[in-house]
Amino acid sequence: MLYVIAYILSLLPFRILFAVSDVLAWLACDVVRYRRSAVRGNLESSFPEKSCEEIRKIEKRFYRFLCDYFMETLKLASMSEKKMRRHLKVENIEEINDAVEKGQSVTLYLGHYCNWEWVSSLPLHISSAARCAQIYHPLENKAFDRLLYKLRTRFDANNIPMSEIMQRLVRWKKEGVPTVTGYIADQAPGLNIHLFLDFLNHETGVYTGPERISKFLGAKAVYAHMSRPKRGYYTLRFIPVSGNVKKDKMFETSREYFRLLEENIREAPQYWLWSHRRWKRPRSMFNAFHGDKAEEMLSHL
C-alpha cells in the first residue's frame, strides 16, 4: 500500500511536487525547526570563516533542498528510463566501463550530497559485463525499508545489506564477474575506528571498510562528483581516486575520497546532509572508550 501511494504521488509533475516541497521546507525550517540546532551547529563549526548571514542563507537553502530530495526520491517510483537520463546527466562513464570491460571491479565513493538516491540508476549507463550494487543499512520500519528497496532497485541495481556485502562480492569474484559497488562512506562510524582525518574543520573518525574491500578486490576507485545545475536536474562525473587500491598505501584512498568530498561540498554547501550528527563521536570519546588501547588501535598511521 505504501508503494502504491508513493507511485500515485510520483505521477505528479515536478512543478507540483516542488511547490509542495516549498511549503514543507518552510514548515521544517521555521515552524517545526527540524534538527535546526544540529544543522546550524554543523554549519557554524564547518565554516568558521562565514558570517552569520551567510550561514543562515545556506541553512534555508539546505531545508529547501532536503524537501526537494524527498520529492525527487519519491519520483523514482514512476520515472521512465528516458526521463531519468534527462534529469541525471552522467559524464565520462568510460572511467567505469573501461575498467569493467577489462575485468576489473570498481569502487564508487559517494557522499550524502545532492540526490544520492538517483545514482541507483547507474546500471542504465554501465556495461552489462558488470554487476552493479549499492550498500545499505536496513531500516527498523519494515514498510519503509521495503519501499526504499523497491525505489533503489528500479533500474536493476543490487541493494545489499552491509552485513552481506563481503559474502556477495566474494561470490561474484569467484565467478569472474567485475562489480561496480557504491559506498556512501561519509557516515559517522562507531567507536571501532581505525582512522581520523581532517574534514570540514573537524578531526573526523571515518569508515575504512570500503577501502579494505577495494584492496581485496584489486578495484579501481572513483569519486562520484555531483552538481545541481537547476532544480530537479543533476550532473554526475567520475573523478579517479586510485587506479588500483591494492597497490596504494593503507588509507591513502580514504584520505583522497574525503578531500574530494570536501571540495564538492564547498562548491555548494546546501546540498550536503547537515541534519546528520556527523561529529557525535569525537576523538576524545574514542580515547575515553578505549583507554590505554586507543593509541595502539591507531598505531598503524
Side-chain angles (χ1 to χ4, degrees), residues 264-278:
N264 204 173
I265 292 169
R266 289 184 179 277
E267 291 169 8
Q270 64 268 29
Y271 299 140
W272 196 52
L273 192 60
W274 295 103
S275 54
H276 179 49
R277 291 180 61 212
R278 179 60 183 85

Side-chain angles (χ1 to χ4, degrees), residues 75-88:
K75 195 72 175 171
L76 274 174
S78 64
M79 279 183 82
S80 66
E81 175 182 333
K82 182 179 179 181
K83 181 169 283 190
M84 177 55 75
R85 288 179 180 271
R86 187 167 69 247
H87 283 263
L88 176 63

Side-chain angles (χ1 to χ4, degrees), residues 221-232:
V222 297
Y223 172 67
H225 180 285
M226 293 192 78
S227 58
R228 198 184 198 221
K230 61 179 180 178
R231 207 172 188 185

Side-chain angles (χ1 to χ4, degrees), residues 28-127:
C29 182
D30 298 319
V31 180
V32 179
R33 298 194 173 196
Y34 171 72
R35 296 193 178 185
R36 188 157 151 183
S37 60
V39 171
R40 186 167 296 180
N42 283 339
L43 286 169
E44 289 175 343
S45 60
S46 297
F47 304 111
E49 74 282 2
K50 293 187 182 297
S51 66
C52 290
E53 183 180 355
E54 290 174 308
I55 294 295
R56 300 300 180 269
K57 284 182 179 178
I58 297 172
E59 181 182 281
K60 285 192 173 294
R61 290 171 182 169
F62 162 71
Y63 279 101
R64 189 186 191 211
F65 164 70
L66 182 65
C67 294
D68 281 0
Y69 157 79
F70 285 121
M71 294 300 170
E72 292 168 354
T73 300
L74 191 66
K75 195 72 175 171
L76 274 174
S78 64
M79 279 183 82
S80 66
E81 175 182 333
K82 182 179 179 181
K83 181 169 283 190
M84 177 55 75
R85 288 179 180 271
R86 187 167 69 247
H87 283 263
L88 176 63
K89 295 289 185 183
V90 179
E91 300 178 347
N92 69 325
I93 192 64
E94 62 275 4
E95 287 286 340
I96 306 293
N97 286 331
D98 288 350
V100 298
E101 290 292 346
K102 296 173 183 175
Q104 185 181 24
S105 291
V106 176
T107 290
L108 184 65
Y109 277 100
L110 300 100
H112 286 95
Y113 188 78
C114 284
N115 196 323
W116 59 90
E117 299 289 356
W118 280 13
V119 181
S120 64
S121 68
L122 266 185
L124 297 176
H125 306 271
I126 291 174
S127 167

Side-chain angles (χ1 to χ4, degrees), residues 52-294:
C52 290
E53 183 180 355
E54 290 174 308
I55 294 295
R56 300 300 180 269
K57 284 182 179 178
I58 297 172
E59 181 182 281
K60 285 192 173 294
R61 290 171 182 169
F62 162 71
Y63 279 101
R64 189 186 191 211
F65 164 70
L66 182 65
C67 294
D68 281 0
Y69 157 79
F70 285 121
M71 294 300 170
E72 292 168 354
T73 300
L74 191 66
K75 195 72 175 171
L76 274 174
S78 64
M79 279 183 82
S80 66
E81 175 182 333
K82 182 179 179 181
K83 181 169 283 190
M84 177 55 75
R85 288 179 180 271
R86 187 167 69 247
H87 283 263
L88 176 63
K89 295 289 185 183
V90 179
E91 300 178 347
N92 69 325
I93 192 64
E94 62 275 4
E95 287 286 340
I96 306 293
N97 286 331
D98 288 350
V100 298
E101 290 292 346
K102 296 173 183 175
Q104 185 181 24
S105 291
V106 176
T107 290
L108 184 65
Y109 277 100
L110 300 100
H112 286 95
Y113 188 78
C114 284
N115 196 323
W116 59 90
E117 299 289 356
W118 280 13
V119 181
S120 64
S121 68
L122 266 185
L124 297 176
H125 306 271
I126 291 174
S127 167
S128 59
R131 198 71 56 86
C132 297
Q134 56 205 13
I135 316 307
Y136 82 105
H137 292 278
L139 301 177
E140 291 184 10
N141 186 302
K142 299 301 180 184
F144 279 100
D145 186 63
R146 288 195 294 271
L147 172 62
L148 280 176
Y149 184 91
K150 282 180 174 289
L151 295 178
R152 290 168 176 171
T153 56
R154 269 286 324 280
F155 298 101
D156 297 327
N158 289 272
N159 212 31
I160 307 173
M162 182 174 283
S163 61
E164 300 176 15
I165 183 59
M166 278 305 296
Q167 178 184 356
R168 196 81 62 93
L169 291 177
V170 167
R171 190 177 81 228
W172 288 334
K173 182 178 174 65
K174 287 181 178 179
E175 294 172 355
V177 179
T179 55
V180 178
T181 310
Y183 300 86
I184 299 180
D186 59 348
Q187 302 180 60
L191 290 170
N192 291 320
I193 300 170
H194 299 94
L195 176 66
F196 282 89
L197 48 74
D198 183 46
F199 174 61
L200 288 171
N201 200 45
H202 297 82
E203 189 175 29
T204 306
V206 302
Y207 278 118
T208 58
E211 179 175 339
R212 292 167 181 268
I213 294 172
S214 300
K215 282 185 176 294
F216 167 76
L217 295 173
K220 175 186 179 72
V222 297
Y223 172 67
H225 180 285
M226 293 192 78
S227 58
R228 198 184 198 221
K230 61 179 180 178
R231 207 172 188 185
Y233 290 84
Y234 295 90
T235 300
L236 172 63
R237 64 183 175 89
F238 304 103
I239 301 177
V241 176
S242 172
N244 188 330
V245 181
K246 195 172 187 176
K247 298 178 180 179
D248 294 339
K249 294 179 180 179
M250 185 62 78
F251 305 137
E252 185 176 340
T253 302
S254 297
R255 293 180 186 278
E256 179 63 6
Y257 157 64
F258 275 94
R259 186 189 69 79
L260 290 168
L261 175 61
E262 179 166 340
E263 283 186 358
N264 204 173
I265 292 169
R266 289 184 179 277
E267 291 169 8
Q270 64 268 29
Y271 299 140
W272 196 52
L273 192 60
W274 295 103
S275 54
H276 179 49
R277 291 180 61 212
R278 179 60 183 85
W279 296 284
K280 60 186 176 183
R281 299 185 186 96
R283 180 94 175 240
S284 58
M285 184 183 292
F286 171 84
N287 290 338
F289 181 82
H290 291 288
D292 295 338
K293 294 182 178 180

